[in-house]
Amino acid sequence: MNSKEPTSSPKGATYAHPHGHVFYRSAQHSRPMVERAQGVYLYDTEGNRYLDASGGAIVVNVGHGIPEIADAMRDQAARVAYAHPTAFTSAPAEAYAEALAEVVNLPDPRFFFLSSGSEAVETALKLARQAQVDSGRQGRYLVVARWQSYHGTTLGALAVAGKPKMRRPFLPMLPDVPHIPPPYCYRCPYNLTHPACDLRCAEALNAEVKRVGPANVAGFIGEPVSGATLGAVVPPDGYWTRIREICDAHDLFLIADEVMTGFGRTGRWFAMDHWGVAPDMIALSKGTAGGYLPLSALAARGALVDAVVKGSGDFVHAGTFSHHPVSTAAGLATLRYLQKHDLVAAAERKGEVMGRALEDGLGDLACVGDIRGVGLMWGVELVADRGTKEPFAVERQVSKRVTEAAFRRGLSVYPGSGCVDGVAGDHITLGPPFVITEEQIEELVGLLRAAIEDVV
């Protein structure tokens, strides 16, 4: 038995490698043991309170500790916890699909239920390929993606992701996937300014499809609002409309990765709704069940699914825990809670409050280069020089240290690095539960400011 004791944090955290037998997600730091959570706060076993400013990993939308969701999970587990999805369907899966069809902007949508965002993306990639084949376009297999994006940890999802740090160890295992620059106006990859740029970042898709050959391309995948890798970057007006036009011109399937942005996070049910653009597929997770259970879904246009059924007969895809009765019961309860308490509209309203609070509370700091976001999804980019936008040296690990300083003060935020070029660049992503109050927003901003001042 290894007797080495992990370093304790100022709040008394003792759980870190090599403690016990848990293979921790990060072995480089200790963490406290969470005991309970309510609303926007988490509490550890030592009585310390943490404001959940990022909803974990932008997961918790409805808030912690909601009895209705817990009751729905318990009741369904008592009735039937598992039935093989090839042999059976279940009442919660059927009801949840009907409820989702009312809020998802797709014609006659169909839903394939899974457990994680990575699985939802993998399912989208496979469906794009099979649907192209079943539509008579057998050569199409590539899915164009964007750099500085994130789509999951499984190998297919990692191949379309554009985060070098996570891709690098597995590059020999990843298929070659074409990538284009992101719509990142603060650091435009073309050194242009919107709208005079004529949406060069969107036109890059047209150029890339022509370069690799339209007959080889099945689709395009992108986050409607860039997630943790860039920190809530909102694309310029017209971007998604133009992307839709390019996909239509080349018979590509447009896949919206709404794993982070879905279920009200941006103040709309889904972020693509801001631009009135309907994709062909939507990958959903995180807020799907509000963190109460692992649950994801791929939403697809009904005509696309019909083409596969008519062609191959079945979608060549499966999952032991797909269409899970308890998970879909949790998803349905979460959806109904969002509707009952009008939390999507609350996210829009409180997002405006949060945006102003961040500008007022952090805007004068010389190290804050950009504050961006929509709804209750915000990013704060930290820079060494505000005028030139020069990032901090990578070895300073500024976002990591700010996150640690915030945690010591009782604030949990979501750090990010590599936003400039995949390596350099520091940002913090914020996405609290939709039940946050204006007073708690002020608390959040005050704690974050103090943490930044602790480090920079």
Side-chain angles (χ1 to χ4, degrees), residues 371-400:
I371 298 172
R372 63 240 183 179
V374 60
L376 280 174
M377 182 174 173
W378 287 86
V380 178
E381 185 165 339
L382 304 171
V383 295
D385 188 304
R386 195 170 186 170
T388 64
K389 304 179 185 178
E390 181 71 20
F392 286 104
V394 174
E395 56 270 19
R396 288 192 62 182
Q397 296 185 301
V398 169
S399 60
K400 178 177 182 290

Side-chain angles (χ1 to χ4, degrees), residues 269-292:
W269 273 104
F270 302 98
M272 291 294 273
D273 297 346
H274 286 282
W275 300 283
V277 173
D280 298 295
M281 291 179 251
I282 309 174
L284 305 167
S285 191
K286 292 188 182 282
T288 309
Y292 284 77

Side-chain angles (χ1 to χ4, degrees), residues 228-257:
T229 302
L230 282 181
V233 168
V234 181
D237 288 341
Y239 176 83
W240 280 112
T241 299
R242 182 59 185 140
I243 290 291
R244 176 76 269 183
E245 291 171 351
I246 294 168
C247 288
D248 289 342
H250 295 293
D251 292 319
L252 311 184
F253 294 126
L254 173 54
I255 305 166
D257 182 346

Side-chain angles (χ1 to χ4, degrees), residues 347-364:
E348 179 181 30
R349 184 176 66 256
K350 293 175 183 179
E352 294 172 356
V353 173
M354 189 166 174
R356 290 193 299 270
L358 288 168
E359 288 288 352
D360 293 343
L362 306 180
D364 65 318

Side-chain angles (χ1 to χ4, degrees), residues 38-39 61-70 96 263 269 288-290 292 329-344 346 433-435:
Q38 187 66 45
N61 50 0
V62 292
H64 297 279
I66 297 173
E68 294 99 306
I69 300 175
Y96 187 37
F263 294 94
W269 273 104
T288 309
Y292 284 77
L332 179 60
T334 302
L335 177 61
R336 293 308 188 205
Y337 193 88
L338 285 164
Q339 292 173 321
K340 178 180 177 181
H341 297 278
D342 203 16
L343 289 182
V344 176
F434 303 169
V435 294

Side-chain angles (χ1 to χ4, degrees), residues 214-239:
N216 298 311
V217 183
F220 171 75
I221 186 169
E223 301 159 291
V225 175
S226 294
T229 302
L230 282 181
V233 168
V234 181
D237 288 341
Y239 176 83

